[in-house]
Amino acid sequence: MLASQLADAVVDVAQAPLPVAVRLEAERSLVNIVGTAVRACHDPAVDQVLEVARLVGGPGGALVPGRREGADLHFAALATGLAAHLDDFDDTHLESGNIHASSIALAATLGIGVELGVSGDRFVSAFALACEMLIRAGLALAPAHHQEGWQPSATVGAMAGAVGAGLLLGLDRSGMADAIRIASIQLLGHREAFGTPTKAIHPGKAAANGILAARLAQAGMEGPRGVLESEGGFCSALARINHPELMVEGLGRSWELLRNTYKPYPCGVVCHPGIDAARAVFERCPEPGSILEVTYLCHPLVMELTDRPDPQDGLEARFSAQHGVAAALVGGRAGLNEYSDRYVKDPQVLRVRALVRLVPTADLDREEAMIEVEFNGGRRLRERVLHARGSLARPLSEAELAAKLDDLVQEVLPDRGARIRRAISGLGAAPDLQELRAALLPEAAQ
């Protein structure tokens, strides 16, 4: 049974130290995802989750990064995962169907890791294996699952959350297998939610469901045998063409986490090549008022996922290829400010956005884009991007990730970026997660 094979492999890998490269990549993932979680922790959607937690949740003070108040583990995971993914500024593993692994892995392991007093080393291992499980499950279903309208991060996320939480709970092989089986039936998340706050519920609820599955397995509940690979089971129900063996083949010997990437722009990753090209045009000719026409040659997936010529707010704009290009052509940037509700309604941005014409081009790779801009007087500028910034070919450097974290946490936890980074880099020798917890809490809550 595949769940048993997965459980055996996960438990075996967790018993040995992580390879150095994997540990360093897990720390990079943590730097990135902690920043995005803190940045959005006071969004109204997070407030709403914590308000519901106060009404229906049990007592508890599980950590929600950046917030003074906590919640029980279920709602803390839901709030953390939601905040981490809300700005679409997290991570992406392209081949697995645009999997966003670390938002779910963080939400499933941070609160429970603090509560149980686990060592920093054990926490990093559980986080890394949760990421790895999520990516591998996505690869088993890719590309059909994503093409059929699902958000893979959500549908396969509960299993990853169960792995992370189960390792921290100390589940044995049998318990881990049942946690994976129970989690595999707790499915959610389709692409129709894109551009709304409910999309960010996907990783939070997947993490919470994973914790629930691990707790139920710990209590003795059994999951359905053969649920992952059987006809009508997890894989065949979610993708007409599937490869369940990819979940376990080489687990612990090869790491898909090493192929994870981190976003330089807070929007759908398919928009990034176009933004890079538009920024290059701006550097050559920063004259948005004289733009007459913008032709955007792109991979067909850009049209499928992000053809939104008239987004109404910042969340919708994150899935508007036209908006990303317009923002870059108007101001040379595409950061959080350029995806604010105010900026989306800026008259100059509205004018340029209306001029952007998407041209799906099958022979362009997903990381490629070409922008051609016509200006008053007949001048034309063309820029082509072969690999988007932040991709595997052009990864964000340590300095860029550090600067991203510092910028993301500044409003909520002023001047706390360096302390958070020190806490993350010191996890390997930390007896528990208290230094990381303290770094993520406002002063008044400590």
Side-chain angles (χ1 to χ4, degrees):
M1 296 294 183
L2 184 56
S4 294
Q5 295 174 37
L6 268 174
D8 288 347
V10 164
V11 172
D12 285 344
V13 172
Q15 290 175 351
L18 290 174
V20 173
V22 175
R23 169 171 288 281
L24 291 175
E25 199 59 46
E27 291 176 2
R28 280 167 53 86
S29 292
L30 282 166
V31 166
N32 187 70
I33 200 63
V34 163
T36 66
V38 170
R39 166 61 176 75
C41 73
H42 288 293
D43 187 89
V46 181
D47 291 339
Q48 290 154 5
V49 166
L50 294 179
E51 176 62 24
V52 172
R54 286 189 286 271
L55 292 174
V56 304
L63 175 64
V64 177
R67 300 285 302 219
R68 288 185 172 86
E69 75 276 35
D72 67 18
L73 275 176
H74 178 92
F75 280 101
L78 178 52
T80 298
L82 188 156
H85 186 55
L86 186 66
D87 283 326
D88 260 280
F89 213 179
D90 44 3
D91 57 350
T92 310
H93 186 281
L94 286 178
E95 291 81 2
S96 57
N98 292 348
I99 287 285
H100 309 292
S102 58
S103 55
I104 296 168
L106 179 75
T109 57
L110 182 60
I112 197 169
V114 171
E115 181 179 284
L116 296 176
V118 303
S119 69
D121 184 70
R122 189 171 171 190
F123 164 71
V124 174
S125 179
F127 172 84
L129 278 161
C131 288
E132 186 71 12
M133 177 73 254
L134 182 49
I135 295 168
R136 284 172 167 270
L139 286 169
L141 304 177
H145 183 51
H146 186 266
Q147 292 170 346
E148 291 168 13
W150 296 97
Q151 187 190 15
S153 304
T155 50
V156 305
M159 288 200 303
V163 164
L167 287 172
L168 297 181
L169 288 169
L171 296 184
D172 61 15
R173 297 168 192 273
S174 176
M176 183 65 78
D178 280 317
I180 291 170
R181 295 182 184 112
I182 295 167
S184 74
I185 64 171
Q186 300 185 70
L187 307 179
L188 76 153
H190 46 80
R191 283 171 19 198
E192 192 63 24
F194 285 17
T196 74
T198 55
K199 176 179 183 280
I201 289 177
H202 293 172
K205 193 62 170 69
N209 286 352
I211 293 173
L212 174 62
R215 290 287 201 189
L216 289 173
Q218 186 183 44
M221 181 178 287
E222 297 181 356
R225 304 284 170 171
V227 67
L228 298 185
E229 70 275 30
S230 63
E231 184 176 353
F234 179 82
C235 288
S236 63
L238 292 179
R240 288 167 296 169
I241 301 174
N242 58 81
H243 304 279
E245 69 279 1
L246 295 181
M247 294 190 203
V248 71
E249 280 184 359
L251 183 59
R253 297 193 304 274
S254 62
W255 288 81
E256 286 296 328
L257 179 58
L258 296 176
R259 297 179 57 77
N260 206 22
T261 66
Y262 309 101
K263 293 184 178 182
Y265 310 118
C267 60
V269 71
V270 297
C271 299
H272 291 195
I275 293 171
D276 281 345
R279 290 183 67 194
V281 170
F282 177 84
E283 290 174 3
R284 292 171 63 188
C285 187
E287 300 174 9
S290 64
I291 293 175
L292 296 179
E293 184 179 72
V294 181
T295 303
Y296 177 6
L297 277 66
C298 57
H299 186 276
L301 199 58
V302 175
M303 176 72 80
E304 179 185 340
L305 296 179
T306 58
D307 180 22
R308 297 193 182 204
D310 188 29
Q312 297 302 300
D313 57 29
L315 284 178
E316 282 195 6
R318 283 165 168 77
F319 296 91
S320 168
Q322 294 91 337
H323 178 79
V325 165
L329 289 172
V330 168
R333 292 173 52 84
L336 287 167
N337 175 67
E338 287 70 35
Y339 285 92
S340 65
D341 293 349
R342 175 195 57 77
Y343 199 87
V344 168
K345 299 295 186 181
D346 181 274
Q348 194 170 37
V349 175
L350 284 168
R351 190 192 79 82
V352 175
R353 194 166 65 216
L355 301 175
V356 178
R357 180 171 62 94
L358 302 186
V359 181
T361 308
D363 60 354
L364 286 180
D365 188 77
R366 287 181 61 178
E367 293 185 10
E368 288 185 77
M370 182 182 293
I371 299 287
E372 183 172 278
V373 182
E374 181 181 352
F375 296 87
N376 284 332
R379 184 182 186 189
R380 289 180 178 271
L381 292 180
R382 177 182 294 178
E383 287 286 347
R384 182 169 186 172
V385 168
L386 297 178
H387 299 285
R389 182 168 164 254
S391 65
L392 284 174
R394 294 177 60 197
L396 296 188
S397 67
E398 303 303 319
E400 287 173 318
L401 278 175
K404 180 179 176 180
L405 172 68
D406 292 350
D407 182 60
L408 287 171
V409 304
Q410 183 61 26
E411 184 176 330
V412 178
L413 299 173
D415 302 319
R416 198 74 72 83
R419 181 179 176 186
I420 294 171
R421 286 184 275 112
R422 284 196 301 273
I424 291 172
S425 65
L427 284 170
D432 52 39
L433 303 184
Q434 288 309 306
E435 177 54 34
L436 179 60
R437 175 183 180 275
L440 295 178
L441 280 175
E443 295 291 345
Q446 298 186 31

